[in-house]
Amino acid sequence: MSDNEKSQKPEEVDTPNSIENSTELNENQNLESTSNAEVETVNSVEDANESAESETIKNSADADDQDEVLNEIDESNAEDAEDEGNKDRHKIEVKEYDTMSLEALAIELERLVSTEKIQAIRNHVNSLNSEFKQKLQSIIDEKKEDFINDGGNEIDFYFSSPVQKRYKDAYKVYRTKLNEHYQSLEKNLKQNLEDKLAIIEELKGLINVEENINTTYKHFKDLQERWRTTGPIPRDKYNNAWNSYHHHVELFYDFLHLNRDLRDLDFKHNLEKKLLIIERAEELSKDDNVMRAFRELQELHKMWKEELGPVGQEHREEIWERFKAATKIINDKRHAYYQEIDKVYEKNLEKKLEIIEKIKAISATGCKSHGTLQKKIKQIEALREEFFNAGKVPLKVNEKTWAEFKEAVRTFNRQKNSFYKDLKKEQYHNLQLKLDLIKVAEDNKESDDFETVTPLMKKIQSEWKKIGHVPRKDSDKIWKQFKAACNYYFDRIHAKRNAASAEQTEAYNKKNEFLNSLKDLKLPEDKTESIALIKEKIKDWQALGRVPQDKRYIDAKFQKATDQLLSNLDLDKVEAEMIKYENKLDVLNAADDDNRNLDNERVFIRKKIDEVKSQINQLENNLQFFTNVEDDNPLVKEVHNNIKLHEESLELWKSKLRKVKDLY
């Protein structure tokens, strides 16, 4: 069955507000209670009809139940009689709006407005609109709470999003189209009502008319055809107009007692048609698609009521009871179907209540660290997604369940915001401590008392590492400022040392000659021998000693040359990278800079590790959007491949970090 069929509960049947309590059920019985015998006056006919109806109701044990479903059918038909486009509402799928995102809801509204009849999507739009408002308000509440917790004033809070504007634009188009439709419809409805009232007046004039009965009967048939082809009328006038019309139809049939042949011929025709309707209803009572059967049953009742007249007295009660019996079977099956749906909704309710309890349990454990809180945030997001995908719950508890869910999530968000508010205080305290160290570094960077200041500069570098995180917006700025002051001081020391080092100058000249010799180096065909030869050359290079500070670029040239040699070998990518990196570390370690270059290298690698981890986390989060997609989907496979590549990169960076640590 379609989602549309699942979504319509018995107590939620779409009936127009303007329809008055229908009395059409008794009037159906009135149609079939006109005596086949000759009657002397209209009053005697009506008295006989009322007596027959009263007796039928008294003898029916389940009359109230039958009346309820028949009223439901008549009211729905009355609405469709005003605007036949309403029928299409049964064909339009009602999606699981509670599981859809805000963007998906906006797209669905745009689709409905652009592709479906505007009068047929009223219920769909109402359900969709309610869901969109709930979800949007939930997001606004969270954003507002975060804004206030960050120190903002409630009066200054403002929130908007592109999807919100997109939805509003689509809804505005819907309202405009709907208003235009009903304005156009209203004019036609009034004219059609006037035409039908005029037909009733003509019917009145047929009784006791002084003309040939065959001519009068033909005129009567013409009026019936005009009535059927006249368009829709206002729904609040539908019942009264129909009652009046059929009352005068009955009077005309009573008038026809002077010509039994014409009347009996009509009775026979109506009986044949009504028997066909009954047979179809009985077939539908065996149809497993109960919603489809019920919708067709509505059409059969409409045909019975609007297109066919009375039958002979001896058949009236029998065929009406038979039609009602088939109707009851179909309706009982429909109620049984809804009872099964209710069971599903109850199970969905149990799931959602369990999810709410899980969220409460996560909140109850509190927040002690950033890492722990981040894990909890992921758990809450997963539970939110699970809640939205759990399906519909009984309508009577829907708002209550949604309110409990929102409150549970809000409680967690309050704890999260409180934690980060305290964390920010700590970060600002750390910022002040690091600013104090920057002042010490800048105050001493020009000092020539190297013996005293050098231990001080190393000490504040060590203290810097022990201080915790600072606000992200200040982190890079203050680190660059501190590093610049320290580097300036140590560069002065190194410059002084390099200026007095003839040995380093000699080492530079030897390295320059050595570098030129590598251009003509031919590697053995054996890969192992080639690697050994390259490593030997690296050791020979290191044995030549250090070069002056301003000549250290030659080490980079050597590294580039050895990288070129390694690239000519058929090496595993990771193996080649690690050999190159060992060469780089040897150069850094050989520098006379109190491990400053190694420190910088270690910081750099750690940042790269954090970046790769973040990228892996982002890719894994992206996979959550493919919950209902097969693993062989191209997009899913691409994400998995990217994760694998990043994981390989992560292992390489970790290996490099271990190499750096081994040098300390």
Side-chain angles (χ1 to χ4, degrees):
M1 296 183 184
S2 71
D3 291 336
N4 186 29
E5 294 165 354
K6 295 178 181 177
S7 68
Q8 295 181 2
K9 306 283 287 230
E11 62 271 19
E12 299 171 347
V13 172
D14 183 21
T15 58
N17 296 330
S18 60
I19 293 180
E20 300 173 358
N21 291 332
S22 175
T23 59
E24 297 169 22
L25 309 179
N26 290 337
E27 284 140 18
N28 275 335
Q29 294 168 333
N30 283 340
L31 278 175
E32 296 163 14
S33 60
T34 305
S35 175
N36 211 12
E38 296 182 2
V39 291
E40 296 180 358
T41 64
V42 172
N43 289 336
S44 65
V45 174
E46 293 176 343
D47 291 343
N49 287 340
E50 290 173 1
S51 175
E53 292 167 2
S54 176
E55 189 64 24
T56 300
I57 293 173
K58 288 178 182 178
N59 292 334
S60 177
D62 56 352
D64 289 341
D65 292 340
Q66 290 184 358
D67 284 354
E68 182 179 352
V69 66
L70 293 173
N71 271 324
E72 182 181 320
I73 291 172
D74 283 344
E75 288 174 353
S76 181
N77 285 337
E79 182 180 10
D80 292 343
E82 179 183 72
D83 187 355
E84 292 190 351
N86 284 322
K87 293 180 184 178
D88 291 340
R89 68 186 183 275
H90 300 300
K91 304 174 185 176
I92 304 172
E93 178 187 7
V94 178
K95 298 183 178 180
E96 298 290 336
Y97 298 134
D98 57 330
T99 67
M100 296 170 67
S101 66
L102 290 179
E103 184 174 8
L105 290 171
I107 292 172
E108 177 63 9
L109 178 59
E110 290 173 339
R111 186 192 70 80
L112 289 172
V113 171
S114 62
T115 62
E116 304 292 351
K117 291 183 179 179
I118 204 69
Q119 68 270 37
I121 61 174
R122 183 182 61 193
N123 287 345
H124 300 71
V125 173
N126 288 344
S127 298
L128 192 152
N129 193 43
S130 174
E131 196 64 43
F132 186 90
K133 286 182 178 179
Q134 275 189 343
K135 290 187 175 181
L136 179 63
Q137 190 59 48
S138 178
I139 293 174
I140 291 175
D141 290 344
E142 288 185 22
K143 296 292 185 184
K144 184 176 183 179
E145 195 166 338
D146 289 343
F147 177 78
I148 294 173
N149 287 330
D150 286 340
N153 294 321
E154 183 174 356
I155 195 172
D156 297 326
F157 175 75
Y158 174 77
F159 175 82
S160 65
S161 68
V163 69
Q164 183 182 11
K165 183 180 184 302
R166 181 176 184 177
Y167 182 86
K168 284 184 176 179
D169 290 344
Y171 191 75
K172 184 178 179 181
V173 173
Y174 164 72
R175 295 300 306 174
T176 301
K177 283 188 174 182
L178 191 65
N179 290 335
E180 290 174 352
H181 169 75
Y182 282 121
Q183 286 174 4
S184 173
L185 182 65
E186 185 177 2
K187 297 178 183 178
N188 295 331
L189 293 176
K190 289 180 179 179
Q191 182 59 50
N192 293 339
L193 178 61
E194 292 178 5
D195 292 344
K196 286 201 171 187
L197 292 178
I199 291 172
I200 293 171
E201 290 301 316
E202 287 191 54
L203 272 174
K204 293 179 183 179
L206 291 180
I207 299 175
N208 297 320
V209 69
E210 294 293 337
E211 65 180 3
N212 181 276
I213 192 66
N214 291 323
T215 302
T216 304
Y217 183 74
K218 185 178 182 301
H219 190 181
F220 168 72
K221 285 298 182 181
D222 289 341
L223 291 176
Q224 280 188 313
E225 182 62 24
R226 281 170 55 195
W227 178 273
R228 281 193 289 268
T229 57
T230 301
I233 63 175
R235 69 184 74 174
D236 59 336
K237 306 295 183 183
Y238 175 80
N239 287 328
N240 288 337
W242 186 88
N243 291 339
S244 179
Y245 169 73
H246 279 276
H247 171 69
H248 291 289
V249 167
E250 289 182 0
L251 292 181
F252 180 78
Y253 276 110
D254 291 335
F255 171 69
L256 277 183
H257 72 276
L258 298 176
N259 191 323
R260 285 176 176 271
D261 291 338
L262 288 176
R263 186 178 65 175
D264 290 347
L265 187 64
D266 227 16
F267 281 172
K268 180 182 178 183
H269 169 77
N270 293 337
L271 178 61
E272 290 172 353
K273 295 294 184 181
K274 288 191 174 183
L275 286 174
L276 290 175
I277 288 175
I278 292 171
E279 289 171 3
R280 180 54 185 161
E282 290 171 344
E283 289 177 8
L284 291 174
S285 69
K286 301 173 185 177
D287 193 337
D288 292 333
N289 191 327
V290 293
M291 295 308 299
R292 180 179 62 198
F294 187 78
R295 286 201 299 273
E296 187 172 341
L297 179 67
Q298 288 180 274
E299 290 296 320
L300 295 178
H301 274 267
K302 183 177 180 181
M303 292 168 59
W304 184 288
K305 176 177 180 178
E306 296 186 10
E307 298 180 16
L308 300 175
V311 300
Q313 176 69 30
E314 68 274 16
H315 301 295
R316 289 177 187 172
E317 184 174 348
E318 176 189 352
I319 65 171
W320 177 240
E321 290 301 324
R322 186 177 165 190
F323 189 32
K324 285 201 297 182
T327 297
K328 185 176 186 303
I329 293 173
I330 295 172
N331 191 57
D332 287 347
K333 289 174 69 175
R334 187 173 67 124
H335 277 281
Y337 167 78
Y338 282 128
Q339 287 174 356
E340 290 301 314
I341 292 294
D342 284 339
K343 292 178 182 178
V344 174
Y345 285 1
E346 288 293 339
K347 286 195 172 293
N348 293 344
L349 175 61
E350 291 177 8
K351 290 180 186 177
K352 289 195 171 184
L353 292 177
E354 287 176 4
I355 292 170
I356 291 171
E357 290 304 316
K358 288 180 182 179
I359 294 174
K360 290 179 179 178
I362 292 174
S363 299
T365 58
C367 306
K368 297 180 180 179
S369 69
H370 170 70
T372 302
L373 184 55
Q374 286 300 307
K375 290 180 181 178
K376 288 186 175 184
I377 291 173
K378 290 182 180 179
Q379 291 174 342
I380 294 294
E381 286 302 317
L383 289 172
R384 279 171 60 98
E385 191 69 22
E386 188 178 346
F387 182 90
F388 290 136
N389 292 331
K392 293 183 178 180
V393 301
L395 185 63
K396 61 185 178 182
V397 295
N398 183 49
E399 290 189 9
K400 179 183 177 184
T401 307
W402 175 250
E404 288 182 12
F405 170 72
K406 285 200 300 183
E407 183 56 33
V409 173
R410 281 179 183 172
T411 299
F412 173 78
N413 286 335
R414 291 189 193 104
Q415 290 185 355
K416 176 191 71 175
N417 293 334
S418 177
F419 172 83
Y420 281 117
K421 194 173 183 179
D422 293 339
L423 186 62
K424 284 182 180 179
K425 291 180 181 178
E426 181 182 344
Q427 289 180 347
Y428 279 112
H429 175 69
N430 294 339
L431 175 62
Q432 187 56 51
L433 293 177
K434 289 192 172 184
L435 289 174
D436 292 341
L437 294 182
I438 290 173
K439 188 174 187 309
V440 173
E442 290 183 338
D443 287 347
N444 290 277
K445 68 180 183 179
E446 297 283 1
S447 175
D448 293 326
D449 186 0
F450 299 125
E451 185 175 348
T452 302
V453 175
T454 299
L456 173 63
M457 297 296 276
K458 291 182 178 181
K459 180 175 180 292
I460 63 175
Q461 285 180 325
S462 177
E463 289 179 0
W464 182 279
K465 295 175 184 178
K466 295 176 183 177
I467 299 173
H469 294 287
V470 301
R472 183 176 299 178
K473 61 185 178 65
D474 301 303
S475 180
D476 288 343
K477 177 183 176 182
I478 64 171
W479 165 244
K480 290 177 181 178
Q481 192 176 354
F482 180 70
K483 185 173 72 170
C486 292
N487 287 350
Y488 181 84
Y489 173 78
F490 286 110
D491 285 346
R492 288 178 59 240
I493 295 178
H494 298 153
K496 185 175 181 180
R497 290 175 181 173
N498 289 338
S501 178
E503 182 180 348
Q504 291 179 355
T505 302
E506 183 182 356
Y508 168 76
N509 294 330
K510 291 180 180 179
K511 284 190 173 183
N512 200 27
E513 294 175 1
F514 189 91
L515 188 62
N516 290 330
S517 69
L518 289 180
K519 296 178 181 178
D520 301 323
L521 180 66
K522 293 184 178 180
L523 296 175
E525 293 183 359
D526 183 81
K527 183 172 70 173
T528 303
E529 292 179 4
S530 296
I531 293 174
L533 178 60
I534 293 173
K535 288 185 175 181
E536 182 179 348
K537 292 296 181 180
I538 292 173
K539 288 182 180 179
D540 291 343
W541 177 271
Q542 293 169 354
L544 294 176
R546 299 173 182 172
V547 300
Q549 178 73 24
D550 60 341
K551 305 293 185 182
R552 289 187 179 177
Y553 61 84
I554 199 170
D555 289 326
K557 285 186 175 183
F558 174 74
Q559 183 176 337
K560 184 176 180 181
T562 54
D563 288 349
Q564 182 62 42
L565 291 172
L566 287 169
S567 65
N568 295 330
L569 301 178
D570 185 19
L571 293 178
D572 176 74
K573 182 179 179 181
V574 175
E575 182 183 4
E577 182 65 26
M578 290 308 299
I579 292 174
K580 295 177 185 178
Y581 191 68
E582 288 173 2
N583 179 25
K584 177 182 178 181
L585 288 184
D586 288 337
V587 174
L588 292 177
N589 194 36
D592 183 18
D593 58 3
D594 297 312
N595 290 335
R596 179 165 57 85
N597 286 337
L598 286 177
D599 289 344
N600 292 340
E601 182 67 9
R602 182 170 60 178
V603 170
F604 170 76
I605 293 176
R606 282 178 172 167
K607 283 186 176 181
K608 295 300 292 184
I609 289 174
D610 290 340
E611 288 175 7
V612 176
K613 284 181 177 179
S614 176
Q615 291 168 343
I616 292 174
N617 288 337
Q618 182 61 50
L619 289 169
E620 290 175 344
N621 287 339
N622 290 345
L623 283 177
Q624 295 179 7
F625 293 99
F626 298 95
T627 53
N628 296 322
V629 180
E630 297 296 334
D631 288 340
D632 59 353
N633 182 279
L635 290 177
V636 175
K637 289 173 68 176
E638 181 180 356
V639 175
H640 281 297
N641 289 337
N642 285 338
I643 291 175
K644 183 178 179 182
L645 292 174
H646 281 81
E647 287 176 342
E648 292 173 355
S649 174
L650 180 62
E651 287 303 315
L652 181 60
W653 284 113
K654 287 182 177 179
S655 298
K656 289 183 178 181
L657 182 61
R658 286 193 291 271
K659 289 289 184 181
V660 174
K661 290 181 177 179
D662 289 343
L663 296 176
Y664 279 84

